[in-house]
């Protein structure tokens, strides 16, 4: 089902809901700046994986951008929590990792992320990933 949804155009009328899970104020600022440049997104923030999972029980998100090792809960547990819930299986996830390289990227993708970005983040890489995952022009 996820593969079929990925080729269908996104309806333009509704805003995509995005949840940023990041404890670093500077990284939050960069992500917020990049997402604001895309437009048409409703941006929400969580400081930890625990807070993020709680927020996911309260509302639906189209995209999650998370540090792969958020405070109070590891990235493995967070991604498993997202993917095991039938209500959130199709949520697109961009994981941000402090480690670089193909091995780290493959590890993060195998955990259930749709995209892996290495630190330091570049706004254009965030924009390109989000547009691709949400099928925005």
């Amino acid at each position: 089902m996820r593969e079929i949804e990925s080729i269908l155009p996104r309806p333009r009328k509704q805003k995509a809901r995005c949840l940023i899970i990041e404890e670093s104020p500077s990284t939050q600022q960069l992500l917020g700046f990049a997402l604001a440049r895309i437009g048409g997104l409703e941006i929400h923030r969580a400081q930890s994986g625990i807070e993020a999972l709680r927020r996911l029980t309260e509302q639906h998100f189209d995209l999650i951008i998370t540090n792969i090792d958020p405070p109070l809960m590891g990235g493995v547990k967070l991604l498993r929590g997202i993917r095991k819930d039938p209500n959130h299986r199709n949520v697109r996830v961009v994981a941000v990792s402090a480690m670089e390289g193909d091995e780290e990227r493959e590890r993060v993708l195998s955990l259930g992320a749709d995209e892996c970005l290495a630190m330091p983040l570049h706004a254009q890489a965030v924009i390109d990933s989000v547009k691709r995952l949400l099928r925005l022009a």
Side-chain angles (χ1 to χ4, degrees), residues 2 8 11-12 15-17 19 23 26-27 42 56 58 70 73 81 83 87 90 98 104 108 119 127:
R2 207 163 154 185
L8 297 174
R12 292 256 185 229
K15 285 187 172 187
R17 297 171 57 96
L19 177 62
E23 74 277 9
S26 60
T27 303
E42 187 178 309
L56 282 166
E58 298 168 353
M73 177 183 290
R83 294 299 183 217
N87 295 319
N90 293 324
E104 174 66 1
V108 170
M119 293 293 271
I127 291 167

Side-chain angles (χ1 to χ4, degrees), residues 30 96-98 100 117-123 125:
L30 183 138
V96 177
S97 176
E100 293 185 51
L117 299 176
M119 293 293 271
L121 281 178
H122 299 281

Side-chain angles (χ1 to χ4, degrees), residues 69-136:
D69 291 312
L72 306 178
M73 177 183 290
V76 173
K77 190 172 183 178
L78 174 63
L79 285 170
R80 283 186 183 149
I82 292 168
R83 294 299 183 217
K84 79 175 183 181
D85 185 331
N87 295 319
H88 305 299
R89 281 193 187 129
N90 293 324
V91 173
R92 300 297 189 183
V93 178
V94 176
V96 177
S97 176
M99 299 179 68
E100 293 185 51
D102 292 339
E103 190 174 305
E104 174 66 1
R105 184 176 190 287
E106 290 304 315
R107 180 185 80 86
V108 170
L109 295 177
S110 74
L111 296 174
D114 296 293
E115 183 74 57
C116 179
L117 299 176
M119 293 293 271
L121 281 178
H122 299 281
Q124 193 60 50
V126 174
I127 291 167
D128 293 345
S129 291
V130 170
K131 282 184 171 182
R132 182 175 51 258
L133 291 173
L134 293 179
R135 302 176 317 277
L136 302 173

Side-chain angles (χ1 to χ4, degrees), residues 17-21 42-61 88:
R17 297 171 57 96
C18 177
L19 177 62
I20 298 172
I21 308 163
E42 187 178 309
I43 302 167
H44 301 262
R45 290 175 173 79
Q47 297 291 320
S48 70
I50 292 172
E51 181 184 352
L53 287 179
R54 181 185 53 77
R55 302 275 308 269
L56 282 166
T57 64
E58 298 168 353
Q59 51 195 306
H60 170 78
F61 292 95
H88 305 299

